[in-house]
Amino acid sequence: MPNERSPEFAVETVGLCKTYGQRRGRPVEALKDVSLRIPRGSFFGLLGPNGAGKSTFINILAGLVIKTSGEARVWGYDIERDMRRARLSIGVVPQELNIDPFFTPAELLDLQAGLYGVPKAMRRTAEVLAAVGLADKADAYARSLSGGMRRRLLVAKAMVHSPPVLVLDEPSAGVDVDLRRQLWANVGEMNRKGITVLLTTHYLKEAEALCDTIAIIDKGKLICCEKTASLLKRLDTKEMTVTVDRELTQVPDALQRFKVECRQGRELVFSYPPSKMHSGEILAAIGKAGLGVVDVATRQAELEDIFLSLTGREGRGGR
């Protein structure tokens, strides 16, 4: 849990760069001048397509990859000058299920705590297992746990040394809906108690629902970093599909002033900026055109739309 040392930013990088060896005669720049501040106590989302540099960023913070240049601090500790304290301040939940199947959860956590130098008298094995909903599985072999339980066990392993920063790298990949909900309930409770959470995920709706702040990285560069609510306002676009009471072959002349298209004979799809126009104006115009309204469905701009707009991609996906 967070200790008495409480910096303004849980994670801070300045001009962080990472260049790998040459590929096809050219060096590979995984990170390019990334300056990022993650506020203490936030639930922070780091998004980007495959190969964007997210895993490199996380691995540098965790001490698994050596940066090429720039600065990085975890809980105020420089990852090179105060390496030990920086690593004790962060817990990482990897994508891979790296769990020894022949140990019980209690044994795994006790071993992990020992690796971090936590004295036996100060180990919180039972408390940590309870926090992730695995108290009743403490003495079961890890190989008997379901996929979702193993994911939660990884979270528990990352928390044995009480780090104030928890990093979750695609934690819900391959987890069913119910277990994913349990996982987020556990992590959400940790965040409410003051743990700073850094999340990477393929599920953009998940990031939209959970994260208070979101950064998007692409081709090693930081594209944006904003409060989620502010980011969602970037696309001032709303779509309204109106089903009318008769077949149409084209958009009626009275509705041509709107950005509208006719689909499937009886559907009119309107696109408009909600900050400048409201749906009532459109519905009133439909009535004046002599059409009856059978059904109305609206769709607000979502994080996925913004992600695709900022990264210049047409496909779906969030990593």
Side-chain angles (χ1 to χ4, degrees), residues 132 180 229 253 255 277:
V132 296
R180 188 182 304 158
D253 292 340
L255 302 177
M277 183 184 299

Side-chain angles (χ1 to χ4, degrees), residues 6 9-10 22 25 118 204 238 250 318:
S6 298
F9 301 106
Q22 293 195 355
V118 181
L204 298 188
K238 192 170 186 178
Q250 62 182 23

Side-chain angles (χ1 to χ4, degrees), residues 20-288:
Y20 289 101
Q22 293 195 355
R23 181 186 300 168
R24 296 180 181 176
R26 294 183 180 180
V28 179
E29 294 182 283
L31 292 178
K32 306 173 185 177
D33 195 31
V34 175
S35 295
L36 185 64
R37 288 176 166 178
I38 299 178
R40 182 186 73 246
S42 64
F43 203 127
F44 193 95
L46 182 62
L47 308 181
N50 284 319
K54 301 185 303 301
S55 292
T56 298
F57 182 83
I58 289 172
N59 288 335
I60 288 174
L61 297 180
L64 300 175
V65 170
I66 300 174
K67 63 183 175 66
T68 301
S69 61
E71 299 177 22
R73 288 179 284 276
V74 178
W75 209 244
Y77 298 115
D78 186 276
I79 63 169
E80 290 185 343
R81 291 191 295 271
D82 294 303
M83 182 186 299
R84 182 175 176 80
R85 289 176 177 174
R87 292 184 184 181
L88 284 172
S89 299
I90 191 170
V92 179
V93 181
Q95 295 182 46
E96 299 79 15
L97 291 170
N98 56 354
I99 295 173
D100 191 316
F102 297 101
F103 280 73
T104 67
E107 290 170 338
L108 283 168
L109 265 59
D110 197 51
L111 174 62
Q112 189 80 355
L115 293 174
Y116 273 99
V118 181
K120 286 188 176 182
M122 297 178 64
R123 294 178 190 175
R124 306 162 37 250
T125 299
E127 180 185 338
V128 174
L129 286 174
V132 296
L134 291 176
D136 60 337
K137 299 293 183 179
D139 299 317
Y141 282 117
R143 64 176 179 269
S144 69
L145 302 180
S146 68
M149 290 178 181
R150 294 182 189 189
R151 286 285 176 192
R152 284 184 276 154
L153 182 54
L154 286 180
V155 175
K157 283 183 64 180
M159 296 303 297
V160 294
H161 56 298
S162 305
V165 181
L166 177 64
V167 178
L168 300 152
D169 192 7
E170 300 284 354
S172 54
V175 177
D176 66 42
V177 174
D178 187 49
L179 290 175
R180 188 182 304 158
R181 189 180 299 117
Q182 293 177 32
L183 174 66
W184 291 129
N186 298 141
V187 174
E189 181 61 27
M190 292 179 186
N191 180 243
R192 284 188 287 276
K193 290 180 178 179
I195 299 293
T196 302
V197 179
L198 169 57
L199 166 71
T200 74
T201 179
H202 264 125
Y203 303 99
L204 298 188
K205 285 187 177 294
E206 193 170 71
E208 185 176 336
L210 294 168
C211 301
D212 51 64
T213 308
I214 289 175
I216 296 177
I217 189 171
D218 189 25
K219 297 178 182 177
K221 293 183 178 180
L222 186 66
I223 297 177
C224 72
C225 179
E226 295 181 25
K227 290 289 186 182
T228 305
S230 173
L231 189 60
L232 290 171
K233 290 179 181 178
R234 277 196 176 216
L235 288 183
D236 186 23
T237 303
K238 192 170 186 178
E239 186 178 273
M240 182 168 69
T241 302
V242 180
T243 304
V244 296
D245 59 356
R246 69 193 69 175
E247 295 289 327
L248 298 173
T249 57
Q250 62 182 23
V251 176
D253 292 340
L255 302 177
Q256 291 288 349
R257 63 188 179 93
F258 298 103
K259 184 179 179 181
V260 57
E261 61 177 295
C262 183
R263 297 180 188 168
Q264 299 180 9
R266 296 173 60 189
E267 287 186 357
L268 292 170
V269 182
F270 295 83
S271 297
Y272 62 99
S275 64
K276 300 176 182 178
M277 183 184 299
H278 57 82
S279 56
E281 182 180 342
I282 296 173
L283 294 174
I286 291 173
K288 289 181 180 180

